[in-house]
Amino acid sequence: MTREDDDLPHIPSRRLMLKGVMAGAALAATPTVASAAPSPEKAAPYVNPLVLNRADPHIHRHSDGTYYFTATVPEYDRIILRRARTLGGLATAAESVIWRKHATGNMGAHIWAPEIHRIGGKWYIYFAAAPAEDVWAIRIWVLENANPDPFKGTWVERGQLRTQWETFSLDATTFTHRGTRYLSWAQHEPGMANNTALWLSRMANPWTLTGSQVRLSTPEFDWECIGYKVNEGPSVIARNGRLFMSYSASATDWHYCMGLLTIDADADLMNPANWTKSPAPVFTSNDTTRQYGPGHNSFTVAEDGRTDVLVYHARQYKEIVGDPLNDPNRHTRVQTLGWHPDGTPDFGVPVADSATEESA
């Protein structure tokens, strides 16, 4: 079976040790250029923050072991890209601007939460943007690059990714499960008394949805409704016979935190009744480590190809003057993602500044 680059992470050793691990989920794909993959490099200890002033971080580990990093910049005006052979190397990697906002019209403001994915031999970036003249009319947009090297070639604007409604929408992520590609995102549903809920749809191609669009979660617990009623920033990891979708909730100050949805790998992903929502947040601000507002995460794996890694942003202080969206100090962080004996993820607490941990 041919594996796609953005299939969900798959670790053979864990599949042998734990019953029911999903057989069809894989992160790596057949390389675009036929060549032997390099041996995994020894992982260096993580030093946090990994990248300063970069929020909503997304790290993609390509089939050749290279890490690609993109994130929201505080100016909300461009999309950046870094790459390195190690996670730690992203801290000092050269940063390229691969796309800038338009001066007028669509994609002219609030360039938020880019994610880079490799699909069908091409690179895609999903991001949120608004018209320059209507900065809160935020929608999901897609860029495409056919060059094997995403730092080269041309990033083509594939346009808006259309959803069921023309309402506030953002934070798109894509994944495949058992041969089907899905998109999950956050959007306001007309008539709902919330800011955003989490949605899921199948995809006809990397910039087009197909079939029904189902709501997986809406803010309902107190911890999801502080400041704003928000579910956003979904990210998916497959392990131990289940899929886990993390997401972020509440306002983007120190109340920002992460929740978790869970579904059996054999269940129909498009049936919301099959998803279970954790009643308590799984990742929150921590006064001991002095990290606040952790969230908008992604998942990757360490250089050994086996150890799961949590990627997220957090601030180093609790009190913010003015609108949190105008505060630039959400920094990218990485730490090992643990696993409970029952096979569910153990997020732990956000690590302290300058802390190091062995990632392998």
Side-chain angles (χ1 to χ4, degrees):
M1 181 177 70
T2 301
R3 295 176 178 176
E4 292 188 41
D5 289 7
D6 272 324
D7 282 357
L8 297 173
H10 166 68
I11 299 180
S13 63
R14 189 172 287 129
R15 178 162 59 89
L16 294 175
M17 295 187 326
L18 295 170
K19 260 179 108 175
V21 166
M22 202 170 63
L27 176 64
T30 304
T32 304
V33 179
S35 61
S39 300
E41 298 184 20
K42 173 64 177 176
Y46 299 142
V47 177
N48 281 295
L50 178 70
V51 185
L52 295 176
N53 306 117
R54 295 292 179 264
D56 312 322
H58 184 260
I59 295 178
H60 167 78
R61 187 174 188 258
H62 191 37
S63 55
D64 64 359
T66 302
Y67 291 98
Y68 291 90
F69 168 87
T70 188
T72 301
V73 301
E75 298 81 8
Y76 303 151
D77 64 352
R78 63 194 186 275
I79 295 177
I80 56 89
L81 195 62
R82 300 185 184 198
R83 68 178 161 198
R85 294 297 303 173
T86 64
L87 282 168
L90 291 171
T92 55
E95 186 171 279
S96 294
V97 177
I98 58 95
W99 184 88
R100 292 186 183 274
K101 72 176 184 178
H102 292 190
T104 61
N106 288 331
M107 296 179 282
H110 282 158
I111 310 304
W112 286 353
E115 288 198 3
I116 185 167
H117 295 267
R118 181 78 171 168
I119 305 171
K122 297 180 180 180
W123 294 99
Y124 291 89
I125 287 180
Y126 298 83
F127 66 102
E133 300 79 14
D134 190 2
V135 300
W136 294 109
I138 294 172
R139 304 291 187 269
I140 299 165
W141 300 82
V142 185
L143 304 177
E144 177 190 79
N145 190 339
N147 196 297
D149 183 347
F151 287 83
K152 299 178 180 179
T154 301
W155 284 97
V156 177
E157 295 173 359
R158 279 294 184 181
Q160 183 180 341
L161 194 152
R162 300 284 177 176
T163 63
Q164 185 173 347
W165 307 288
E166 279 294 323
T167 60
F168 186 91
S169 51
L170 70 170
D171 295 353
T173 191
T174 184
F175 64 95
T176 58
H177 178 58
R178 300 189 173 176
T180 299
R181 180 163 292 282
Y182 297 86
L183 189 89
S184 184
W185 72 99
Q187 185 166 14
H188 175 69
E189 179 181 0
M192 289 289 287
N194 64 17
N195 295 93
T196 53
L198 297 179
W199 296 85
L200 186 70
S201 176
R202 296 184 180 93
M203 303 191 79
N205 60 45
W207 59 91
T208 308
L209 303 182
T210 185
S212 60
Q213 300 173 31
V214 298
R215 183 187 345 114
L216 298 185
S217 174
T218 189
E220 56 189 305
F221 298 115
D222 289 346
W223 54 270
E224 297 177 294
C225 301
I226 302 174
Y228 296 98
K229 295 181 179 180
V230 167
N231 283 177
E232 65 182 16
S235 187
V236 177
I237 186 170
R239 292 287 182 270
N240 311 330
R242 283 166 282 186
L243 274 68
F244 303 96
M245 180 182 288
S246 61
Y247 65 94
S248 298
S250 288
T252 56
D253 56 16
W254 70 272
H255 296 102
Y256 205 53
C257 61
M258 282 168 46
L260 189 68
L261 305 177
T262 303
I263 191 170
D264 189 274
D266 294 324
D268 178 7
L269 272 57
M270 294 299 296
N271 183 352
N274 292 332
W275 291 83
T276 301
K277 184 174 183 175
S278 298
V282 295
F283 202 55
T284 63
S285 294
N286 189 279
D287 285 324
T288 300
T289 62
R290 301 195 61 78
Q291 299 304 319
Y292 300 100
H296 202 118
N297 80 291
S298 60
F299 299 104
T300 189
V301 291
E303 292 85 345
D304 62 5
R306 301 163 56 87
T307 305
D308 294 309
V309 176
L310 176 66
V311 185
Y312 63 99
H313 72 234
R315 287 189 179 90
Q316 298 161 313
Y317 46 84
K318 195 171 188 176
E319 299 303 325
I320 299 170
V321 177
D323 189 336
L325 286 176
N326 297 327
D327 182 290
N329 295 315
R330 292 182 292 177
H331 305 321
T332 294
R333 299 175 170 276
V334 293
Q335 64 190 67
T336 300
L337 179 70
W339 293 92
H340 294 294
D342 67 356
T344 59
D346 180 2
F347 290 86
V349 300
V351 295
D353 286 351
S354 302
T356 62
E357 59 167 355
E358 290 295 335
S359 60

